[in-house]
Amino acid sequence: MAHSARPVMAASTAAATPVDHYRFFADALDSLRADGNYRVFADLERRAGSFPRADHHDGAVSEVTVWCSNDYLGMGQHPKVLRSVQDALAKSGAGAGGTRNIAGTNHNHVLLEASLADLHRKPAALLFSSGYVANMAALATLAARLPNCVVFSDAANHASMIEGIRHSRADKVIFRHNDPADLDRRLSEVAPDRAKLVAFESVYSMDGDIAPIAELCDVAERHGALTYLDEVHAVGLYGPRGGGVAERDGVADRLDVIQGTLGKAFGSFGGYIAGSRDLVDFVRSFASGFIFTTALPPHVAAGARAAIEHLKSSRIERERHQERAATVKCRLAEAGLPVMDNPSHIVPVLVGDAGLCRLASDRLLTEHAIYVQPINYPTVPRGTERLRITPTPLHDDDAIDRLVMALDEVWRRLDLPRRPNG
């Protein structure tokens, strides 16, 4: 006997007020504005061959000097890179044509993955559409599929790593930032027969501190844990061939996974992992963030490969970059500006208030033609808001002079805190 469909009973709405979805959106944005954390994007147009100068579109067009680009070496403007992009664009067209599995594997992808594997002295590498996606997809896949896995995550890890771990639904343990002893203690509390994955970064991009990679590997190896190192703010910049801090420190062979980006020091776009052939193939075969994503355009891959191969043999850019970063830090300190000490190329200048940080950035742009984006919560904790300055080899002495004078003037006008002896 057929059963009649049962009606779906609606919840009582006698005294209920419908949700005003759009009021919710507006209130949330108003809250961000009130806290000084609303993000405003400057309309900039990079000039090929003129980096770090750019055109600022704000009613009229004016020239500004960019001091916060993650194109750390200016490779996005390098002649070799531009020629490679142009040649590949003329040969292969604009798009990849689909996912890598269906129609999107171009020979430029194959060559780039071989170049990346060689950069890190690993058997294999795998491309993703961004560094963020590389972290999310790889960590989510590894942690979800390793048997009864526990992920040990540095307390300062990037949002992309946190998201990947969260999506895996694996157990997560957070260890104190850059603290091998705390990692050792926490690993000791987990049963030996569980899979373990230790995830951390080399250069932490907001404070500019550097992980004790060898010591963290020592701990992970004692407990039979896999190691996953994010080198996005180090590849191209450290090591004799630009392989990152792990290459510089001679420990790259001890890392199970090295993750990096093509969008910072290599001046292009995309992300990747490098590791053993089976591990990389495992991620390729099971990571939905790879399987179902359109591949990088061939000309983007060609440009990235040109930058990588150039930086493998050229140290000029790295040496100049380190000198420029050290010079800026010294000059800011001499001016009494609160530059935060660290051993890397990152130059954070502490403000400590979201509204004042935004105001300082605005005045640098409108009054001094200097673009430095404010860094506020949730990127950094409240009370540590800052301007994050990233010198490049192409910032000359005159540009540094103008930066220091502009910051000094803004600090005086806004009565911002200085160094104790400033």
Side-chain angles (χ1 to χ4, degrees), residues 96-271:
T99 65
R100 290 283 297 276
N101 181 56
I102 294 175
T105 295
N106 183 276
H107 190 53
N108 284 293
H109 300 133
V110 177
L111 293 175
L112 177 53
E113 286 174 341
S115 180
L116 288 164
D118 173 74
L119 175 67
H120 296 291
R121 305 297 193 194
K122 297 293 185 184
L126 184 67
L127 289 172
F128 292 84
S129 55
S130 71
Y132 194 104
V133 173
N135 268 336
M136 267 201 67
L139 282 167
T141 301
L142 292 168
R145 291 183 174 270
L146 283 166
N148 202 17
C149 184
V150 184
V151 183
F152 296 82
S153 178
D154 187 286
N157 274 347
H158 189 264
S160 59
M161 303 176 79
I162 295 168
E163 282 292 289
I165 296 164
R166 183 174 69 83
H167 278 283
S168 76
R169 300 184 181 178
D171 290 340
K172 178 179 71 173
V173 176
I174 298 174
F175 64 93
R176 284 196 298 267
H177 178 51
N178 282 349
D179 190 336
D182 189 54
L183 174 62
D184 188 45
R185 179 178 66 81
R186 293 178 181 275
L187 277 163
S188 299
E189 295 170 349
V190 174
D193 60 347
R194 297 190 68 176
K196 305 173 188 68
L197 177 62
V198 179
F200 56 101
E201 301 180 41
S202 57
V203 177
Y204 288 84
S205 63
M206 290 300 123
D207 289 345
D209 53 338
I210 295 178
I213 299 175
E215 290 87 345
L216 292 170
C217 286
D218 290 341
V219 173
E221 289 164 2
R222 282 200 299 273
H223 294 274
L226 291 174
T227 47
Y228 184 107
L229 177 65
D230 177 317
E231 287 257 47
V232 298
H233 291 277
V235 290
L237 305 176
Y238 298 87
R241 301 195 314 148
V245 176
E247 183 193 38
R248 182 198 71 177
D249 294 350
V251 295
D253 61 312
R254 300 177 66 185
L255 279 307
D256 293 291
V257 182
I258 295 176
Q259 182 267 347
T261 183
L262 306 172
K264 294 182 170 59
F266 297 132
S268 187
F269 183 76

Side-chain angles (χ1 to χ4, degrees), residues 295-313:
L296 290 178
H299 62 278
V300 172
R305 179 170 175 262
I308 293 164
E309 291 303 316
H310 173 78
L311 291 172
K312 283 179 183 177
S313 59

Side-chain angles (χ1 to χ4, degrees), residues 380-422:
V380 296
R382 288 187 174 92
T384 69
E385 293 85 359
R386 69 202 60 182
L387 300 178
R388 177 182 177 271
I389 296 168
T390 53
T392 75
L394 301 173
H395 285 96
D396 59 21
D397 289 342
D398 286 342
I400 294 175
D401 289 341
R402 292 194 298 272
L403 173 71
V404 175
M405 287 188 291
L407 285 169
D408 184 66
E409 192 273 338
V410 168
W411 247 249
R412 275 191 287 105
R413 287 182 60 187
L414 298 181
D415 195 25
L416 296 175
R418 292 180 177 261
R419 294 173 70 93
N421 297 324

Side-chain angles (χ1 to χ4, degrees), residues 35 43 70 136 141 187 190 280 331 350 372 384 420:
D35 291 341
D43 185 350
N70 284 341
M136 267 201 67
T141 301
L187 277 163
V190 174
V280 169
R331 291 289 308 280
L350 184 65
V372 185
T384 69

Side-chain angles (χ1 to χ4, degrees), residues 78-94:
H78 196 282
K80 287 183 181 178
V81 173
L82 298 183
R83 282 197 301 271
S84 295
V85 170
Q86 291 160 357
D87 290 346
L89 185 62
K91 185 175 181 180
S92 296

Side-chain angles (χ1 to χ4, degrees), residues 256-341:
D256 293 291
V257 182
I258 295 176
Q259 182 267 347
T261 183
L262 306 172
K264 294 182 170 59
F266 297 132
S268 187
F269 183 76
Y272 66 90
I273 62 169
S276 75
R277 197 165 300 282
D278 282 348
L279 186 151
V280 169
D281 198 18
F282 179 88
V283 174
R284 183 190 70 88
S285 300
F286 290 103
S288 59
F290 171 81
I291 295 169
F292 299 107
T293 299
T294 299
L296 290 178
H299 62 278
V300 172
R305 179 170 175 262
I308 293 164
E309 291 303 316
H310 173 78
L311 291 172
K312 283 179 183 177
S313 59
S314 174
R315 300 190 183 193
I316 296 171
E317 292 85 359
R318 281 189 288 280
E319 291 170 355
R320 171 76 170 171
H321 180 241
Q322 290 293 323
E323 180 274 321
R324 294 284 83 183
T327 297
V328 170
K329 288 179 180 180
C330 182
R331 291 289 308 280
L332 294 178
E334 288 172 351
L337 293 160
V339 60
M340 300 166 64
D341 293 333

